[in-house]
Amino acid sequence: MDATIYHNPRCSTSRKTLERLENAGIDVTVVKYLTEGWTREQLTKLFADAGLTARQAVRKREALYKELGLADSSDEAILDAMVEHPVLVERPFVVTDKGTRLARPIESVDEIV
């Protein structure tokens, strides 16, 4: 099985999820989204495949979330902010042939591996 993880190496949940996938013998493609960035189309598809809205997938604990006033923004405005500031996307997302999950909690990836 192959998987893609949208990974932030500074995030302990992201590191633990990557380790879980590798320990399961899964061939993992690592996408460091903070340096590669996102397109609006990528995020729209990722969230739809995971069954989430942009509001559900935004990092509310990120200082930038408050600074940009995203709590009162539309999903469209949140998506725009996520494209401009990739750090606003919750992490990690994992994609396999069986589906897409936000690994929070980490065990949610077990549904797609």
Side-chain angles (χ1 to χ4, degrees):
M1 170 176 278
D2 296 333
T4 300
I5 184 170
Y6 293 91
H7 180 61
N8 178 348
R10 292 180 300 217
C11 171
S12 64
T13 301
S14 195
R15 289 191 310 269
K16 289 175 188 174
T17 302
L18 177 58
E19 181 180 15
R20 184 182 193 100
L21 293 167
E22 290 174 336
N23 287 344
I26 296 169
D27 185 24
V28 184
T29 299
V30 177
V31 177
K32 294 181 180 176
Y33 67 90
L34 289 177
T35 54
E36 294 188 25
W38 299 104
T39 67
R40 185 178 188 74
E41 294 75 24
Q42 282 176 309
L43 290 176
T44 301
K45 179 171 178 17
L46 192 70
F47 299 159
D49 290 350
L52 299 171
T53 64
R55 182 168 307 285
Q56 292 169 314
V58 68
R59 286 190 54 79
K60 294 176 179 79
R61 295 177 307 204
E62 195 64 45
L64 197 52
Y65 176 81
K66 187 174 183 178
E67 288 173 27
L68 295 174
L70 295 177
D72 298 322
S73 297
S74 68
D75 272 15
E76 296 301 311
I78 291 171
L79 268 173
D80 289 340
M82 290 171 154
V83 170
E84 187 172 345
H85 307 283
V87 71
L88 288 169
V89 178
E90 192 59 87
R91 71 233 178 199
F93 275 90
V94 176
V95 179
T96 72
D97 289 341
K98 294 183 179 180
T100 301
R101 294 290 181 276
L102 172 59
R104 291 192 176 265
I106 293 170
E107 296 78 18
S108 66
V109 298
D110 294 344
E111 300 169 4
I112 59 168
V113 295

